[in-house]
């Protein structure tokens, strides 16, 4: 465990640039979607794309992909808590 | 530097490092010293808050202006609330008894991150200092109530920004304690200390620590947004600028309802230690009590909307939050039933810690059941923002967490000083507090049912008699507290020395000397029995 933690994982430039390109593509997708007439689905669509982008940043730029199971769990619990809080707030915001 | 004298002259954490100057205390990384630093700090703020509460009651003694005008009254209840919540009851249990007792109870020599622990106390002191400074600078102390509701807290000219910043800093201290405790409980348990043998106080601190870690950041963000509203005029919560004031209330209560569990869970944990020891009987339903701590912490995080039933929230949300609030009553009741079952046919000994524990059960039950009156959407409309609410939450926070804290002081502090208090004055103090408490706050609940609103310095003449009763009650209560503290600390410094195990407890802290040495254990302990297995303690 200790040895694992001290090891620095080096991500190649190629991979980082590829991820960046995907992020840019997703950003254009968001812009494109916002121009379509999809009603409420537009919000869900944008949220889905934003989550994918966040996931990529966390996995590659923040190295979560190369971390141990514990850290992933901690991140998961935190994000799950946050989404539950936001989700429950929607019972008010959506139906007011 | 004046050396801090220590109570008993055997080698212990008071003297065995050879360092006892002030610096050796305020820069110590020993969990017992940090716990005592926390204890003295939170007690100091409790006394401040108690004085302010006494002043509030004197103002309300008779209709019209008694000692202060409306603006001062607003500042008084705001500062009373902020001090009692953020500087007393939230840090009290984890900071003082969590630090002092928990590492010993799991058989560790310290917490996992001793220096982070010291930092958390320093952040608490820094935040508290900023809050105090905010009272005397700018255009007067904050007058918003401890809830800082927008848009008022954006528009008021008083010193809200600085006070809020102080609370923000104190929040970090709470997060650090939480991280430290979760890590300690996972990593530093002694050999044989399985999860099923953890003392229930430790289980309750574990559940609390997760709430501290997960909920406090939301308070931090919310407070920063208040400052942004005031300084940058972001308008997020200001309806005048298209903002949504209800969103502020959501954010505030997403933290502040779970914060109620930061106050009450470790208090319940302490009660769960005291009751079996003073009933000479193993705890009834160990697993259910441990489970209910976790259940309260998780379900309790989803009920914040019950503070907003009259705010204009959607009906659907009111229904859901009301339902969830009732759900949390289940694990709380599980605990109460288990305590009562532990008492059943026990060999009960009514010493001071036990009296506080028993009164905790009653007062907390009253607080909890009146909470259901508030949690039911229909009845809430009638008593919302009245003195009924003030009575209710004092039953939970003072009659519950506060009484448990005083019980814990009588139960555990002799361990750390090596001396004990005199029993009779302790009983007298308890009687005064118990009677005074109920007179003070039951009257408030009655006033609330009759319709007296909270947070006003004046009231209609028909409310006068009960207000007078409540104020006289507060004098009885306060004299009880003063007697309690004098007797307790006199005894701790000068009283009879005690042995290792004065009460006959079966958890690890009672196996080591009183006061404990800096390293806690000579040799790493190996745990062979559960925390409530009294057969091994050699007590009658
Ligand atoms: C010494 C005993 C105490 C007395 C006499 C006292 C008295 C009062 C009174 C009269 C009010 C209502 C003010 C109003 O709404 O007009 C109040 C509010 C409050 N008290 Fe206490 N109190 C005491 C102890 C405590 C303790 C131990 C706690 C918490 C642990 C606490 C927490 C609060 C809070 C949070 C408020 C609400 C402040 C607000 O409206 O913003 N009090 N207290
Ligand atoms: Cu609540």
């Amino acid at each position: 465990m200790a040895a694992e933690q001290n090891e620095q994982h080096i991500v190649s430039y190629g991979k980082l640039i590829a991820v960046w390109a995907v992020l840019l593509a997703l950003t254009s997708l968001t812009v494109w979607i916002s121009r379509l007439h999809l009603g409420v689905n537009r919000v869900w669509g944008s949220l889905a794309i934003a989550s994918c982008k966040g996931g990529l940043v966390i996995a590659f730029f923040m190295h979560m992909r190369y971390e141990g199971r514990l850290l992933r769990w901690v991140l998961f619990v935190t994000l799950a808590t946050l989404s539950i809080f936001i989700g429950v707030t929607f019972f008010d915001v959506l139906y007011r | 530097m004046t050396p801090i004298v220590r109570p008993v002259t055997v080698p212990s954490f008071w003297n065995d490092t050879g360092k006892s100057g002030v610096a050796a205390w305020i820069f110590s990384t020993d969990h017992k010293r940090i716990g005592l630093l926390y204890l003295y700090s939170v007690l100091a703020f409790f006394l401040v808050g108690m004085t302010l509460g006494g002043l509030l009651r004197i103002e309300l003694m008779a209709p019209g202006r008694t000692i202060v005008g409306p603006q001062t009254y607003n500042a008084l209840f705001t500062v009373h609330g902020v001090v009692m919540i953020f500087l007393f009851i939230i840090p009290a249990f984890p900071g003082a008894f969590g630090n002092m007792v928990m590492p010993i109870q799991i058989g560790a020599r310290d917490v996992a991150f001793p220096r982070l622990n010291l930092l958390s106390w320093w952040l608490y002191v820094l935040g508290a200092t900023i809050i105090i400074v905010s009272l005397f600078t700018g255009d007067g102390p904050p007058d918003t109530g401890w809830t800082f509701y927008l848009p008022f807290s954006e528009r008021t000219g008083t010193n809200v920004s600085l006070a809020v910043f102080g609370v923000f800093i104190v929040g970090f201290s709470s997060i650090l304690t939480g991280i430290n405790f979760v890590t300690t409980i996972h990593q530093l348990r002694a050999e044989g200390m399985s999860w099923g043998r953890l003392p229930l106080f430790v289980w309750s601190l574990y559940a609390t620590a997760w709430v501290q870690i997960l909920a406090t950041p939301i308070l931090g963000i919310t407070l920063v947004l208040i400052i942004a509203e005031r300084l940058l005029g972001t308008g997020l919560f200001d309806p005048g600028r298209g903002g949504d004031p209800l969103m502020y209330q959501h954010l505030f209560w997403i933290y502040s309802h779970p914060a109620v569990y930061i106050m009450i869970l470790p208090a319940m944990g302490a009660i769960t230690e005291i009751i079996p020891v003073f009933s000479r009987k193993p705890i009834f339903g160990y697993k259910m009590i441990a489970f209910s701590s976790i259940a309260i912490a998780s379900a309790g995080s989803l009920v914040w909307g019950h503070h907003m039933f009259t705010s204009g929230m959607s009906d659907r949300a009111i229904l859901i939050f009301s339902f969830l609030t009732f759900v949390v009553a289940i694990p709380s009741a599980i605990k109460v039933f288990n305590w009562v079952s532990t008492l059943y046919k026990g060999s009960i000994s009514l010493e001071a810690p036990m009296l506080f524990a028993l009164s905790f059960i009653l007062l907390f039950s009253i607080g909890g059941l009146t909470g259901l009156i508030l949690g039911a959407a229909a009845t809430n409309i009638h008593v919302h923002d009245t003195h009924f609410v003030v009575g209710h939450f004092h039953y939970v926070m003072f009659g519950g967490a506060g009484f448990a804290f005083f019980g814990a002081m009588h139960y555990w502090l002799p361990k750390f000083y090596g001396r004990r208090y005199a029993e009779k004055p302790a009983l007298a103090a308890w009687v005064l507090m118990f009677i005074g408490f109920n007179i003070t706050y039951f009257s408030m609940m009655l006033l609330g049912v009759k319709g007296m609103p909270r947070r006003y310095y004046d009231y209609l003449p028909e409310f006068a008699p009960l207000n007078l009763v409540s104020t006289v009650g507060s004098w009885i209560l306060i004299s009880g507290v003063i007697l309690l503290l004098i007797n307790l600390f006199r005894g701790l410094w000068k009283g009879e020395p005690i042995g290792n195990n004065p009460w006959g407890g079966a958890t690890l802290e009672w196996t080591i000397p009183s006061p404990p040495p800096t390293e806690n254990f000579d040799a790493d302990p190996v745990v062979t029995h559960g925390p409530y297995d009294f057969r091994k303690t050699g007590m009658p």
Side-chain angles (χ1 to χ4, degrees):
Chain A
M1 189 66 193
E4 209 177 283
Q5 276 174 352
N6 291 336
E7 208 176 286
Q8 287 277 352
H9 190 97
I10 315 265
V11 189
S12 69
Y13 279 119
K15 211 177 215 172
L16 288 179
I17 290 173
V19 173
W20 179 59
V22 175
L23 287 174
L24 285 182
L26 287 173
T27 308
S28 339
L29 194 63
T30 315
V31 176
W32 179 66
I33 264 200
S34 70
R35 308 249 160 99
L36 300 180
H37 295 282
L38 295 174
V40 190
N41 290 331
R42 202 168 64 188
V43 176
W44 296 118
S46 315
L47 275 177
I49 298 171
S51 311
C52 291
K53 287 166 70 185
L56 284 173
V57 170
I58 290 170
F60 291 96
F61 293 164
M62 292 169 67
H63 284 214
M64 200 46 75
R65 218 178 148 221
Y66 316 106
E67 288 295 348
R69 196 160 1 128
L70 180 68
L71 264 188
R72 283 195 220 176
W73 255 104
V74 170
L75 184 77
F76 172 76
V77 170
T78 314
L79 289 180
T81 312
L82 187 65
S83 28
I84 291 173
F85 284 163
I86 295 178
V88 176
T89 310
F90 268 80
F91 284 122
D92 172 26
V93 180
L94 281 186
Y95 300 100
R96 210 184 279 164
Chain B
M1 245 183 273
T2 40
I4 296 177
V5 279
R6 82 221 122 62
V8 163
T9 44
V10 295
S12 69
F13 77 101
W14 293 87
N15 56 10
D16 66 5
T17 53
K19 297 187 190 119
S20 57
V22 171
W25 276 81
I26 60 176
F27 297 116
S28 169
T29 52
D30 177 0
H31 68 96
K32 298 176 286 302
R33 290 193 175 197
I34 295 175
L36 282 177
L37 290 176
Y38 259 116
L39 177 82
Y40 284 113
S41 328
V42 298
L43 275 182
F45 282 108
F46 173 74
L47 292 177
V48 172
M50 185 175 82
T51 310
L52 297 172
L55 292 175
L56 288 170
R57 274 315 328 162
I58 294 179
E59 170 53 40
L60 293 178
M61 190 161 78
R65 186 192 153 107
T66 314
I67 48 169
V68 295
Q71 182 61 31
T72 314
Y73 188 82
N74 293 352
L76 278 179
F77 70 67
T78 303
V79 181
H80 168 76
V82 168
V83 165
M84 283 299 198
I85 300 275
F86 295 112
L87 300 182
F88 170 58
I89 200 73
I90 289 182
F93 258 107
F97 290 110
N99 266 319
M100 267 188 273
V101 178
M102 183 273 282
I104 309 184
Q105 281 195 328
I106 64 172
R109 289 173 195 276
D110 208 318
V111 291
F113 308 117
R115 275 179 288 185
L116 209 59
N117 205 13
L118 180 63
L119 178 63
S120 102
W121 181 73
W122 273 103
L123 286 176
Y124 168 83
V125 171
L126 177 67
T129 312
I130 295 176
I131 294 174
I132 294 172
V133 168
S134 80
L135 306 182
F136 300 104
T137 53
D139 296 317
D143 58 349
T144 57
W146 77 280
T147 47
F148 303 117
Y149 270 17
L150 279 111
F152 179 68
S153 67
E154 182 202 336
R155 304 214 176 123
T156 173
T158 56
N159 210 358
V160 169
S161 304
L162 197 59
V164 159
F165 183 63
V167 175
F168 176 76
I169 302 281
V170 174
F172 278 92
S173 130
S174 188
I175 296 174
L176 293 188
T177 304
I179 292 175
N180 217 337
F181 284 9
V182 167
T183 317
T184 307
I185 296 170
H186 272 278
Q187 298 289 323
L188 298 187
R189 280 171 290 131
E191 196 185 329
M193 179 57 81
S194 56
W195 286 91
R197 283 187 186 156
L198 277 186
L200 287 161
F201 181 58
V202 177
W203 266 108
S204 74
L205 283 169
Y206 182 72
T208 308
W210 277 109
V211 180
Q212 288 176 293
I213 296 174
L214 292 172
T216 319
I218 299 176
L219 175 76
I221 293 164
T222 312
L223 297 175
V224 168
L225 290 177
I226 300 180
I227 298 177
E229 292 278 296
R230 284 177 67 84
L231 301 185
L232 310 175
T234 42
L236 270 177
F237 307 120
D238 184 347
R241 272 177 279 172
D244 180 2
L246 274 193
M247 195 47 83
Y248 174 80
Q249 299 188 13
H250 276 297
L251 284 170
F252 182 81
W253 289 111
I254 287 177
Y255 167 76
S256 294
H257 186 83
V260 175
Y261 298 112
I262 302 179
M263 311 169 194
I264 201 73
L265 275 172
M268 292 168 154
I271 296 306
T272 313
E273 298 297 309
I274 294 173
I275 285 183
V277 170
F278 288 85
S279 313
R280 300 283 179 272
K281 235 184 109 208
I283 190 80
F284 183 90
Y286 174 94
K287 279 197 184 133
M288 284 315 277
I289 296 185
F291 160 79
S292 63
S293 290
I294 307 289
I296 291 177
S298 27
S301 296
L302 300 177
V303 302
W304 71 83
H306 60 212
H307 297 272
M308 303 166 57
F309 288 161
T310 62
S311 300
M313 193 170 58
S314 83
D315 286 347
R316 184 173 308 219
I318 291 179
L319 191 74
I320 289 170
F321 281 121
S322 186
F323 171 73
L324 289 172
T325 302
F326 274 72
V327 171
V328 189
I330 298 172
S332 313
I334 288 180
K335 283 192 195 274
V336 171
F337 289 133
N338 279 310
W339 293 323
V340 174
S341 312
T342 306
L343 291 169
Y344 182 62
K345 288 192 176 166
S347 165
I348 295 171
S349 124
L350 287 179
E351 289 165 88
M354 186 61 161
L355 289 173
F356 279 101
L358 292 178
S359 42
F360 170 94
I361 301 182
L362 176 71
L363 300 178
F364 171 74
S365 299
I366 297 180
L369 292 172
T370 49
L372 290 182
I373 297 178
L374 289 161
T379 39
N380 176 285
I381 314 276
H382 298 274
V383 283
H384 181 84
D385 250 343
T386 67
H387 260 68
F388 185 79
V389 179
V390 182
H392 150 75
F393 67 66
H394 282 92
Y395 266 89
V396 178
M397 296 196 292
F398 192 176
F403 269 57
F405 192 70
F406 291 120
M409 285 191 355
H410 286 84
Y411 181 62
W412 274 313
L413 286 185
K415 180 83 218 167
F416 293 90
Y417 288 76
R419 294 180 187 278
R420 63 164 299 173
Y421 52 87
E423 187 67 28
K424 279 210 181 114
L427 295 187
W430 173 80
V431 170
L432 284 175
M433 281 180 69
F434 183 73
I435 294 176
F437 180 91
N438 283 297
I439 297 179
T440 312
Y441 296 110
F442 207 80
S443 317
M444 288 197 200
M445 290 206 282
L446 294 179
L447 283 165
V449 175
K450 287 167 179 256
M452 175 171 157
R454 68 188 280 208
R455 294 177 169 168
Y456 281 84
Y457 91 118
D458 194 6
Y459 46 81
L460 298 173
E462 70 231 47
F463 300 133
L466 273 173
N467 267 300
L468 182 60
V469 171
S470 172
T471 302
V472 173
S474 76
W475 297 337
I476 305 177
L477 170 62
I478 291 174
S479 33
V481 173
I482 294 173
L483 175 59
L484 174 140
L485 290 177
I486 293 178
N487 175 54
L488 181 66
F489 280 98
R490 229 180 101 102
L492 294 175
W493 293 96
K494 298 190 193 145
E496 266 173 63
I498 55 153
N500 292 356
N501 194 357
W503 317 122
T507 39
L508 283 178
E509 74 270 31
W510 308 111
T511 61
I512 61 173
S514 319
T518 298
E519 292 287 312
N520 297 345
F521 300 95
D522 288 339
D524 285 329
V526 177
V527 181
T528 53
H529 59 83
Y532 308 103
D533 187 350
F534 295 106
R535 284 168 302 182
K536 309 283 192 329
T537 62
M539 297 296 289

